[in-house]
Coordinates of all heavy atoms in Angstrom, one line a residue:
M48 N 87.1 97.4 107.5 CA 88.0 98.3 108.1 C 89.4 97.8 108.0 O 89.6 96.6 108.0 CB 87.7 98.5 109.6 CG 86.5 99.4 109.8 SD 86.2 99.9 111.5 CE 85.6 98.3 112.2
P49 N 90.4 98.7 108.0 CA 91.8 98.2 107.8 C 92.3 97.6 109.1 O 91.9 97.8 110.2 CB 92.6 99.5 107.6 CG 91.7 100.6 108.1 CD 90.3 100.1 108.0
I50 N 93.3 96.7 108.8 CA 94.0 96.0 109.9 C 95.3 96.7 110.2 O 96.1 96.9 109.2 CB 94.2 94.6 109.6 CG1 92.9 93.9 109.4 CG2 95.0 93.9 110.7 CD1 93.0 92.4 108.9
Y51 N 95.6 97.1 111.4 CA 96.8 97.7 111.7 C 97.7 96.7 112.5 O 97.3 96.0 113.3 CB 96.6 98.9 112.7 CG 95.9 100.1 112.1 CD1 94.5 100.1 112.0 CD2 96.5 101.1 111.5 CE1 93.8 101.1 111.4 CE2 95.8 102.2 110.9 CZ 94.4 102.2 110.9 OH 93.8 103.2 110.4
Q52 N 99.0 96.7 112.1 CA 99.9 95.8 112.7 C 100.8 96.6 113.7 O 101.3 97.7 113.4 CB 100.8 95.2 111.7 CG 100.0 94.3 110.7 CD 100.9 93.6 109.8 OE1 102.1 93.9 109.5 NE2 100.4 92.5 109.2
Y53 N 100.9 96.1 114.9 CA 101.7 96.7 116.0 C 102.8 95.9 116.4 O 102.8 94.6 116.3 CB 100.8 97.0 117.2 CG 99.8 98.1 117.0 CD1 98.6 97.9 116.5 CD2 100.2 99.4 117.4 CE1 97.7 99.0 116.3 CE2 99.3 100.5 117.3 CZ 98.1 100.2 116.7 OH 97.2 101.3 116.5
A54 N 103.9 96.5 116.9 CA 105.1 95.8 117.4 C 105.5 96.5 118.7 O 105.3 97.7 118.8 CB 106.2 95.8 116.4
P55 N 106.1 95.8 119.6 CA 106.5 96.4 120.9 C 107.7 97.3 120.7 O 108.5 97.2 119.8 CB 106.8 95.2 121.7 CG 107.3 94.2 120.8 CD 106.4 94.4 119.5
E56 N 107.7 98.4 121.5 CA 108.9 99.3 121.5 C 110.2 98.6 121.9 O 111.2 98.8 121.4 CB 108.6 100.5 122.4 CG 107.5 101.4 121.9 CD 107.9 102.2 120.6 OE1 109.1 102.1 120.2 OE2 107.1 102.8 120.0
A57 N 110.1 97.7 122.9 CA 111.3 97.1 123.4 C 110.8 95.7 124.0 O 109.8 95.6 124.6 CB 112.0 97.9 124.4
G58 N 111.6 94.7 123.7 CA 111.4 93.4 124.3 C 110.2 92.7 123.7 O 109.6 93.2 122.7
N59 N 109.8 91.7 124.2 CA 108.7 90.9 123.7 C 107.6 91.0 124.8 O 107.7 90.8 125.9 CB 109.1 89.4 123.5 CG 109.6 89.2 122.1 OD1 109.4 90.1 121.2 ND2 110.2 88.1 121.9
C60 N 106.4 91.1 124.2 CA 105.2 91.1 125.1 C 104.9 89.7 125.4 O 104.7 88.8 124.6 CB 104.0 91.7 124.3 SG 102.5 91.4 125.0
P61 N 104.7 89.4 126.7 CA 104.4 88.0 127.1 C 103.0 87.6 126.7 O 102.7 86.4 126.5 CB 104.5 88.0 128.6 CG 104.3 89.4 129.0 CD 104.8 90.3 127.9
Q62 N 102.1 88.6 126.5 CA 100.7 88.2 126.2 C 100.5 88.0 124.7 O 99.9 87.0 124.2 CB 99.8 89.4 126.6 CG 98.9 89.1 127.8 CD 99.7 88.8 129.0 OE1 99.8 87.7 129.4 NE2 100.3 89.9 129.6
C63 N 101.1 88.9 123.9 CA 100.8 88.9 122.4 C 102.0 88.3 121.7 O 101.9 88.3 120.4 CB 100.4 90.2 121.9 SG 101.7 91.5 122.2
G64 N 103.1 88.0 122.3 CA 104.2 87.4 121.6 C 105.0 88.5 120.9 O 105.9 88.2 120.1
G65 N 104.7 89.7 121.1 CA 105.5 90.8 120.5 C 104.9 91.5 119.4 O 105.2 92.6 119.0
H66 N 103.9 90.9 118.7 CA 103.2 91.5 117.6 C 101.7 91.2 117.7 O 101.3 90.1 118.1 CB 103.8 91.0 116.3 CG 105.2 91.4 116.0 ND1 105.5 92.5 115.3 CD2 106.3 90.8 116.4 CE1 106.8 92.6 115.3 NE2 107.4 91.6 116.0
F67 N 100.9 92.1 117.3 CA 99.5 91.9 117.2 C 98.9 92.7 116.2 O 99.4 93.8 115.7 CB 98.8 92.0 118.6 CG 98.9 93.4 119.1 CD1 97.9 94.4 118.9 CD2 100.1 93.8 119.9 CE1 98.0 95.7 119.5 CE2 100.2 95.1 120.4 CZ 99.2 96.0 120.2
D68 N 97.7 92.4 115.7 CA 97.0 93.1 114.7 C 95.7 93.6 115.3 O 95.1 93.0 116.2 CB 96.6 92.2 113.5 CG 97.8 91.6 112.8 OD1 98.9 92.3 112.9 OD2 97.7 90.6 112.2
V69 N 95.3 94.8 114.9 CA 94.1 95.4 115.4 C 93.3 96.0 114.3 O 93.9 96.6 113.4 CB 94.4 96.6 116.4 CG1 93.1 97.2 116.9 CG2 95.2 96.0 117.6
I70 N 92.0 95.7 114.3 CA 91.1 96.3 113.3 C 90.6 97.6 113.8 O 90.0 97.7 114.9 CB 90.0 95.4 112.9 CG1 90.5 94.1 112.3 CG2 89.0 96.1 112.0 CD1 89.4 93.1 112.0
Q71 N 90.9 98.7 113.1 CA 90.5 100.1 113.6 C 89.9 100.8 112.5 O 90.2 100.6 111.3 CB 91.7 100.8 114.2 CG 92.3 100.3 115.4 CD 93.5 101.2 115.9 OE1 94.6 101.2 115.3 NE2 93.2 101.9 116.9
K72 N 89.2 101.9 112.8 CA 88.7 102.8 111.8 C 89.9 103.6 111.3 O 90.9 103.8 112.1 CB 87.7 103.7 112.3 CG 86.4 103.0 112.7 CD 85.4 104.1 113.3 CE 84.2 103.4 113.9 NZ 83.5 104.3 114.8
I73 N 89.8 104.2 110.1 CA 90.9 105.0 109.6 C 91.3 106.1 110.5 O 92.4 106.5 110.6 CB 90.6 105.4 108.2 CG1 90.8 104.2 107.2 CG2 91.4 106.6 107.7 CD1 90.7 104.6 105.8
D74 N 90.2 106.8 111.0 CA 90.5 108.0 111.8 C 90.7 107.7 113.3 O 90.8 108.6 114.1 CB 89.4 109.1 111.6 CG 88.0 108.5 111.8 OD1 87.9 107.3 112.1 OD2 87.1 109.2 111.6
D75 N 90.7 106.4 113.7 CA 91.1 106.1 115.1 C 92.5 106.5 115.3 O 93.4 106.2 114.5 CB 90.9 104.6 115.4 CG 89.4 104.3 115.7 OD1 88.6 105.3 115.8 OD2 89.0 103.2 115.7
P76 N 92.9 107.0 116.5 CA 94.3 107.3 116.8 C 95.0 106.0 117.0 O 94.4 104.9 117.4 CB 94.2 108.1 118.1 CG 92.9 107.7 118.7 CD 92.0 107.4 117.6
P77 N 96.3 105.9 116.7 CA 97.1 104.7 116.9 C 97.2 104.4 118.4 O 97.2 105.2 119.3 CB 98.5 105.1 116.4 CG 98.3 106.4 115.7 CD 97.1 107.0 116.2
L78 N 97.2 103.1 118.6 CA 97.4 102.6 120.0 C 98.9 102.9 120.4 O 99.8 102.9 119.6 CB 97.2 101.1 120.1 CG 95.8 100.6 119.8 CD1 95.7 99.1 120.0 CD2 94.7 101.3 120.6
T79 N 99.0 103.3 121.7 CA 100.4 103.5 122.2 C 100.8 102.4 123.2 O 101.9 102.2 123.5 CB 100.5 104.8 122.8 OG1 99.6 105.0 123.9 CG2 100.3 105.9 121.8
L80 N 99.8 101.7 123.7 CA 100.0 100.6 124.7 C 99.4 99.3 124.2 O 98.3 99.4 123.6 CB 99.5 101.0 126.1 CG 100.1 102.2 126.7 CD1 99.4 102.5 128.0 CD2 101.6 102.0 127.0
C81 N 100.0 98.2 124.5 CA 99.4 96.9 124.2 C 98.2 96.8 125.0 O 98.2 97.0 126.2 CB 100.4 95.8 124.5 SG 99.7 94.2 124.3
P82 N 97.1 96.4 124.3 CA 95.8 96.3 125.1 C 95.8 95.1 126.1 O 95.0 95.1 127.0 CB 94.8 96.1 124.0 CG 95.5 95.6 122.8 CD 96.9 96.2 122.9
Q83 N 96.8 94.2 125.9 CA 96.8 93.1 126.8 C 97.8 93.2 128.0 O 97.5 92.7 129.0 CB 97.2 91.8 126.0 CG 96.1 91.5 124.9 CD 96.4 90.2 124.3 OE1 96.3 89.1 124.9 NE2 96.7 90.2 123.0
C84 N 98.9 93.9 127.7 CA 99.9 93.9 128.8 C 100.4 95.4 129.1 O 101.2 95.5 130.0 CB 101.1 93.1 128.4 SG 101.9 93.7 126.9
D85 N 99.8 96.4 128.4 CA 100.2 97.8 128.7 C 101.6 98.1 128.4 O 102.1 99.1 129.0 CB 99.8 98.1 130.1 CG 98.3 98.3 130.3 OD1 97.6 98.5 129.3 OD2 97.8 98.2 131.4
R86 N 102.3 97.4 127.6 CA 103.7 97.8 127.2 C 103.6 98.7 126.0 O 102.6 98.7 125.2 CB 104.5 96.6 126.8 CG 104.8 95.7 128.0 CD 105.8 94.6 127.6 NE 106.0 93.7 128.7 CZ 107.2 93.1 128.9 NH1 108.2 93.3 128.1 NH2 107.3 92.2 129.9
P87 N 104.6 99.6 125.9 CA 104.6 100.6 124.8 C 104.7 99.8 123.4 O 105.5 98.9 123.3 CB 105.8 101.4 125.0 CG 106.2 101.2 126.5 CD 105.7 99.9 126.8
V88 N 103.9 100.3 122.5 CA 103.9 99.7 121.2 C 103.9 100.8 120.1 O 103.6 101.9 120.4 CB 102.7 98.7 120.9 CG1 102.7 97.5 121.8 CG2 101.4 99.5 121.1
H89 N 104.3 100.4 118.9 CA 104.1 101.4 117.8 C 103.5 100.7 116.6 O 103.6 99.5 116.5 CB 105.5 102.0 117.4 CG 106.5 100.9 116.9 ND1 107.3 100.2 117.7 CD2 106.7 100.5 115.6 CE1 108.0 99.4 117.0 NE2 107.7 99.5 115.7
R90 N 102.9 101.4 115.8 CA 102.2 100.9 114.6 C 103.2 100.7 113.5 O 104.0 101.6 113.2 CB 101.1 101.8 114.1 CG 100.0 101.1 113.5 CD 98.7 101.9 113.6 NE 98.7 103.2 112.9 CZ 97.7 104.0 112.8 NH1 96.6 103.7 113.3 NH2 97.8 105.2 112.2
E91 N 103.3 99.5 113.0 CA 104.3 99.1 112.0 C 103.8 99.5 110.6 O 104.6 100.2 109.8 CB 104.5 97.6 112.0 CG 105.4 97.2 113.1 CD 106.0 95.8 112.8 OE1 105.3 94.9 112.4 OE2 107.3 95.7 112.9
I92 N 102.7 99.1 110.2 CA 102.2 99.4 108.8 C 100.8 99.9 109.0 O 100.0 99.3 109.7 CB 102.1 98.1 108.0 CG1 103.5 97.4 107.9 CG2 101.7 98.4 106.6 CD1 103.4 96.0 107.3
C93 N 100.5 101.1 108.4 CA 99.2 101.6 108.7 C 98.6 102.2 107.5 O 99.1 103.1 106.8 CB 99.4 102.7 109.8 SG 100.6 103.9 109.4
P94 N 97.3 101.9 107.2 CA 96.8 100.6 107.6 C 96.9 99.6 106.5 O 97.3 100.0 105.4 CB 95.3 101.0 107.8 CG 95.0 102.0 106.7 CD 96.4 102.8 106.6
V95 N 96.6 98.4 106.8 CA 96.6 97.4 105.7 C 95.2 97.0 105.4 O 94.5 96.6 106.3 CB 97.4 96.1 106.2 CG1 97.4 95.1 105.1 CG2 98.8 96.5 106.6
A96 N 94.8 97.3 104.2 CA 93.4 97.0 103.8 C 93.4 95.7 103.1 O 93.8 95.5 102.0 CB 92.9 98.1 102.8
L97 N 93.0 94.7 103.9 CA 92.9 93.3 103.3 C 91.6 93.0 102.7 O 90.6 93.4 103.2 CB 93.2 92.3 104.5 CG 94.5 92.5 105.2 CD1 94.7 91.4 106.3 CD2 95.7 92.3 104.2
G98 N 91.7 92.4 101.6 CA 90.4 91.9 100.9 C 89.7 93.1 100.3 O 88.5 92.9 99.9
G99 N 90.3 94.2 100.1 CA 89.6 95.3 99.4 C 88.5 95.9 100.2 O 87.6 96.5 99.6
S100 N 88.5 95.8 101.5 CA 87.4 96.3 102.3 C 87.5 97.8 102.4 O 86.5 98.5 102.7 CB 87.4 95.7 103.7 OG 88.6 96.0 104.3
L101 N 88.6 98.4 102.1 CA 88.8 99.8 102.1 C 88.7 100.4 100.7 O 89.5 100.1 99.9 CB 90.2 100.1 102.7 CG 90.6 101.6 102.9 CD1 89.7 102.2 103.9 CD2 92.1 101.7 103.3
Q102 N 87.7 101.2 100.5 CA 87.4 101.7 99.2 C 88.1 103.0 99.0 O 87.4 104.1 99.1 CB 85.9 101.7 98.9 CG 85.2 100.4 99.0 CD 85.8 99.4 97.9 OE1 86.1 99.8 96.8 NE2 86.0 98.2 98.3
L103 N 89.4 103.0 98.7 CA 90.1 104.3 98.5 C 90.8 104.2 97.2 O 91.3 103.1 96.8 CB 91.1 104.5 99.6 CG 90.7 105.0 101.0 CD1 91.8 105.0 101.9 CD2 90.0 106.3 100.9
Q104 N 90.9 105.3 96.5 CA 91.7 105.4 95.3 C 93.2 105.3 95.7 O 93.6 105.8 96.8 CB 91.5 106.7 94.6 CG 90.1 106.8 94.1 CD 89.7 105.7 93.1 OE1 90.5 105.4 92.2 NE2 88.5 105.1 93.3
P105 N 94.0 104.7 94.9 CA 95.5 104.6 95.2 C 96.1 106.0 95.5 O 96.9 106.1 96.4 CB 96.1 104.0 93.9 CG 95.0 103.2 93.4 CD 93.7 103.9 93.7
S106 N 95.6 107.0 94.8 CA 96.2 108.4 95.1 C 95.8 108.8 96.5 O 96.6 109.5 97.2 CB 95.7 109.4 94.1 OG 94.3 109.4 94.1
D107 N 94.6 108.5 96.9 CA 94.2 108.9 98.3 C 95.0 108.1 99.3 O 95.3 108.6 100.4 CB 92.7 108.5 98.5 CG 91.8 109.4 97.7 OD1 92.2 110.6 97.4 OD2 90.7 109.0 97.3
V108 N 95.2 106.8 99.0 CA 96.0 106.0 99.9 C 97.3 106.5 100.1 O 97.8 106.7 101.3 CB 96.1 104.5 99.3 CG1 97.0 103.7 100.2 CG2 94.7 103.9 99.3
E109 N 98.0 106.9 99.1 CA 99.4 107.4 99.2 C 99.4 108.8 99.9 O 100.3 109.1 100.7 CB 100.0 107.5 97.8 CG 100.2 106.1 97.2 CD 101.3 106.1 96.1 OE1 102.0 107.1 96.0 OE2 101.4 105.1 95.4
R110 N 98.4 109.6 99.5 CA 98.4 111.0 100.1 C 98.2 111.0 101.6 O 98.7 111.8 102.3 CB 97.3 111.8 99.4 CG 97.4 113.3 99.8 CD 96.4 114.1 99.0 NE 95.0 113.7 99.3 CZ 94.2 113.4 98.3 NH1 94.5 113.3 97.1 NH2 92.9 113.0 98.6
N111 N 97.5 110.0 102.1 CA 97.2 109.9 103.5 C 98.3 109.0 104.2 O 98.1 108.8 105.4 CB 95.8 109.3 103.8 CG 94.7 110.3 103.4 OD1 94.6 111.3 104.1 ND2 94.0 110.0 102.4
G112 N 99.3 108.6 103.5 CA 100.3 107.8 104.1 C 99.9 106.4 104.4 O 100.6 105.7 105.2
F113 N 98.9 105.9 103.7 CA 98.5 104.5 103.9 C 99.2 103.6 103.0 O 99.8 104.0 102.0 CB 97.0 104.4 103.8 CG 96.2 105.2 104.7 CD1 94.9 105.8 104.4 CD2 96.7 105.5 106.0 CE1 94.2 106.5 105.3 CE2 95.9 106.3 106.9 CZ 94.7 106.8 106.5
V114 N 99.0 102.4 103.3 CA 99.5 101.3 102.3 C 98.3 100.4 102.0 O 97.5 100.1 102.9 CB 100.6 100.5 103.0 CG1 101.1 99.5 101.9 CG2 101.7 101.3 103.5
Q115 N 98.1 100.2 100.8 CA 96.9 99.3 100.4 C 97.4 98.1 99.7 O 98.4 98.1 98.9 CB 96.0 100.1 99.4 CG 94.7 99.4 99.1 CD 93.8 100.3 98.3 OE1 94.2 100.8 97.2 NE2 92.6 100.5 98.7
Y116 N 96.8 97.0 100.0 CA 97.1 95.7 99.4 C 95.9 95.1 98.8 O 94.8 95.3 99.2 CB 97.7 94.7 100.5 CG 99.1 95.1 101.0 CD1 99.2 96.1 102.0 CD2 100.2 94.6 100.4 CE1 100.4 96.5 102.4 CE2 101.4 94.9 100.9 CZ 101.6 95.9 101.9 OH 102.8 96.3 102.4
R117 N 96.1 94.3 97.8 CA 95.0 93.4 97.3 C 95.4 92.0 97.4 O 96.6 91.6 97.4 CB 94.7 93.8 95.8 CG 95.8 93.3 94.8 CD 95.5 93.7 93.4 NE 96.5 93.4 92.5 CZ 96.5 92.2 91.8 NH1 95.6 91.4 91.9 NH2 97.5 91.9 91.0
R118 N 94.4 91.2 97.6 CA 94.6 89.7 97.8 C 94.9 89.0 96.5 O 94.2 89.1 95.6 CB 93.4 89.1 98.5 CG 93.5 87.7 98.8 CD 92.3 87.3 99.6 NE 92.2 85.8 99.5 CZ 91.7 85.0 100.5 NH1 91.2 85.6 101.5 NH2 91.6 83.8 100.3
L119 N 96.1 88.3 96.5 CA 96.4 87.5 95.3 C 95.9 86.1 95.4 O 95.3 85.6 94.5 CB 98.0 87.5 95.2 CG 98.7 88.7 94.7 CD1 100.2 88.4 94.6 CD2 98.1 89.2 93.4
E120 N 96.2 85.5 96.6 CA 95.7 84.2 96.8 C 95.6 84.0 98.3 O 95.9 85.0 99.1 CB 96.6 83.1 96.3 CG 98.0 83.3 96.8 CD 99.0 82.4 96.0 OE1 99.2 81.3 96.4 OE2 99.6 82.9 95.0
H121 N 95.2 82.9 98.8 CA 95.1 82.8 100.3 C 96.3 83.1 101.0 O 97.4 82.5 100.8 CB 94.6 81.3 100.6 CG 94.4 81.1 102.1 ND1 93.3 81.6 102.7 CD2 95.2 80.6 103.0 CE1 93.4 81.4 104.0 NE2 94.5 80.7 104.2
G122 N 96.2 84.1 101.9 CA 97.4 84.5 102.7 C 98.4 85.3 102.0 O 99.5 85.6 102.6
V123 N 98.2 85.7 100.8 CA 99.2 86.5 100.1 C 98.6 87.7 99.5 O 97.6 87.7 98.9 CB 99.8 85.7 98.9 CG1 100.9 86.5 98.2 CG2 100.4 84.4 99.4
Y124 N 99.2 88.9 99.8 CA 98.7 90.2 99.4 C 99.7 90.9 98.7 O 100.9 91.0 99.1 CB 98.2 90.9 100.7 CG 97.1 90.2 101.4 CD1 97.4 89.3 102.3 CD2 95.7 90.5 101.1 CE1 96.3 88.6 103.0 CE2 94.7 89.9 101.7 CZ 95.0 88.9 102.7 OH 94.0 88.2 103.3
E125 N 99.3 91.6 97.6 CA 100.3 92.4 96.8 C 99.9 93.9 97.0 O 98.8 94.3 97.0 CB 100.1 92.1 95.4 CG 101.0 92.8 94.5 CD 100.7 92.5 93.0 OE1 99.6 92.9 92.5 OE2 101.6 92.0 92.3
K126 N 101.0 94.7 97.2 CA 100.8 96.1 97.4 C 100.3 96.8 96.2 O 100.8 96.5 95.1 CB 102.1 96.7 97.9 CG 102.0 98.2 98.3 CD 103.3 98.8 98.7 CE 104.3 98.9 97.5 NZ 105.6 99.5 97.9
T127 N 99.3 97.6 96.4 CA 98.8 98.4 95.2 C 99.0 99.9 95.3 O 98.9 100.6 94.4 CB 97.2 98.1 95.1 OG1 96.6 98.5 96.3 CG2 97.0 96.7 94.7
A128 N 99.3 100.3 96.5 CA 99.6 101.8 96.7 C 100.3 102.0 98.0 O 100.2 101.2 99.0 CB 98.3 102.6 96.7
G129 N 101.0 103.1 98.1 CA 101.7 103.5 99.3 C 103.1 102.9 99.5 O 103.6 102.3 98.6
K130 N 103.7 103.2 100.6 CA 105.0 102.8 100.9 C 105.0 101.6 101.9 O 104.3 101.7 102.9 CB 105.8 103.9 101.6 CG 106.1 105.0 100.6 CD 107.1 106.0 101.4 CE 107.5 107.1 100.4 NZ 106.5 108.0 99.9
G131 N 105.6 100.5 101.5 CA 105.6 99.3 102.4 C 106.2 98.1 101.6 O 106.6 98.3 100.4
P132 N 106.2 97.0 102.2 CA 106.7 95.8 101.6 C 105.8 95.5 100.3 O 104.6 95.8 100.3 CB 106.5 94.7 102.6 CG 106.4 95.4 103.9 CD 105.8 96.8 103.6
D133 N 106.4 95.0 99.3 CA 105.6 94.7 98.1 C 104.6 93.6 98.3 O 103.6 93.6 97.6 CB 106.6 94.3 96.9 CG 107.4 95.5 96.4 OD1 106.9 96.6 96.6 OD2 108.4 95.3 95.8
H134 N 104.9 92.7 99.2 CA 104.0 91.6 99.4 C 103.9 91.4 100.9 O 104.8 91.6 101.7 CB 104.5 90.3 98.8 CG 104.5 90.3 97.3 ND1 105.5 90.8 96.5 CD2 103.5 90.0 96.4 CE1 105.2 90.7 95.3 NE2 104.0 90.2 95.1
L135 N 102.7 90.9 101.3 CA 102.4 90.6 102.7 C 102.0 89.1 102.7 O 101.3 88.6 101.8 CB 101.3 91.4 103.3 CG 101.6 92.8 103.8 CD1 100.4 93.4 104.4 CD2 102.8 92.8 104.7
F136 N 102.4 88.4 103.7 CA 102.0 87.0 103.9 C 101.3 86.9 105.2 O 101.9 87.2 106.2 CB 103.2 86.1 103.8 CG 104.0 86.3 102.5 CD1 105.0 87.1 102.4 CD2 103.6 85.6 101.4 CE1 105.7 87.3 101.2 CE2 104.2 85.8 100.2 CZ 105.3 86.6 100.1
A137 N 100.1 86.5 105.1 CA 99.2 86.4 106.3 C 98.6 85.0 106.4 O 98.4 84.4 105.3 CB 98.2 87.5 106.4
D138 N 98.3 84.6 107.5 CA 97.6 83.3 107.7 C 96.2 83.4 107.2 O 95.5 84.3 107.4 CB 97.7 82.8 109.1 CG 99.1 82.5 109.6 OD1 99.9 82.1 108.7 OD2 99.4 82.7 110.8
Ligands
ZN258 ZN1 101.2 92.8 124.6

């Protein structure tokens, strides 16, 4: 399942440090509140399919407004479809 990245609407969340990732199904609605502190959040990149777990064609990815990445090496992902940063760096 894709990983969604969230960021707070304002300020920093004391629980999650301002940013957190959530694994959700594609058709799950976006979270509007931080699950840890109930502050308003918004989805930054939706969704990020890490490791090729999301079996979508690039055309499907773009049509649905998704961003798809493929893993280049440990912690480095290259965008293969959609709008978003060309590369992601994750731990
Ligand atoms: Zn939080």
Side-chain angles (χ1 to χ4, degrees):
M48 283 190 287
I50 298 174
Y51 295 84
Q52 297 185 339
Y53 284 87
E56 291 291 349
N59 270 344
C60 164
Q62 251 65 254
C63 60
H66 294 267
F67 61 95
D68 299 335
V69 179
I70 297 178
Q71 292 182 286
K72 294 178 194 167
I73 279 187
D74 50 3
D75 277 350
L78 299 180
T79 55
L80 297 175
C81 173
Q83 298 189 65
C84 63
D85 285 341
R86 289 188 186 213
V88 294
H89 64 271
R90 209 153 64 174
E91 280 201 311
I92 306 172
C93 53
V95 180
L97 298 181
S100 59
L101 182 64
Q102 298 300 321
L103 284 177
Q104 296 299 316
S106 58
D107 293 331
V108 172
E109 294 200 11
R110 190 173 61 236
N111 289 292
F113 297 151
V114 185
Q115 188 176 52
Y116 290 83
R117 70 183 177 93
R118 182 172 157 150
L119 286 183
E120 55 191 271
H121 181 74
V123 181
Y124 298 85
E125 180 185 64
K126 186 178 70 177
T127 56
K130 293 185 171 67
D133 286 340
H134 292 87
L135 282 186
F136 301 95
D138 293 331

